[in-house]
Amino acid sequence: RFKGRQPMRRDTITLALGQYVKVRIQADNPGVWFQHCHQEQHNLSGLGFTLIEAPDVMQRTLRMPSEMMEFCRMLGHPTQGNSAGRAGSDMTGIEQPIAISGSANSISDTV
């Protein structure tokens, strides 16, 4: 049926070592979406990210279940504001990610 070729894989991008990809999306589905590598070793190394699409629309239209809000309160996590629990673009107090550079044989952390 495919004459020796693999069928197209939906929502999958395969990259060789050292390659990168730019992805353009149509942002029409408000929510928080986790994008990740399917190899657990890579996922644990940070090859994943969270895309927060239309946060202003989410705040107006989506409601967090009360059980989840209570769980956040129990853990001391903010339940209002941006990802740092603050207003607008004030991100003070949020932990900054560590950038990893180098090859598989030589990895150095930069802050």
Side-chain angles (χ1 to χ4, degrees):
R1 174 176 161 182
F2 295 108
K3 298 179 183 171
R5 297 174 306 181
Q6 293 291 326
M8 180 172 46
R9 295 179 178 157
R10 183 170 184 222
D11 302 332
T12 301
I13 299 170
T14 302
L15 299 174
L17 180 65
Q19 289 184 326
Y20 69 93
V21 65
K22 293 180 182 181
V23 178
R24 185 188 311 189
I25 64 165
Q26 183 173 347
D28 62 357
N29 192 9
V32 179
W33 309 104
F34 183 60
Q35 309 297 311
H36 59 93
C37 178
H38 280 262
Q39 293 184 5
E40 191 62 26
Q41 175 184 345
H42 294 166
N43 219 3
L44 293 171
S45 299
L47 290 177
F49 65 92
T50 303
L51 173 67
I52 303 174
E53 186 177 318
D56 54 335
V57 174
M58 285 177 23
Q59 288 178 344
R60 288 193 313 269
T61 60
L62 302 178
R63 294 290 167 248
M64 185 77 73
S66 60
E67 297 85 4
M68 193 163 261
M69 292 290 280
E70 182 57 31
F71 188 64
C72 288
R73 281 190 278 275
M74 286 173 34
L75 294 174
H77 296 307
T79 57
Q80 294 182 346
N82 59 28
S83 58
R86 299 196 168 44
S89 60
D90 178 5
M91 300 301 280
T92 56
I94 196 166
E95 193 175 310
Q96 295 299 312
I98 296 175
I100 306 291
S101 63
S103 68
N105 298 328
S106 165
I107 296 179
S108 61
D109 293 346
T110 57
V111 179

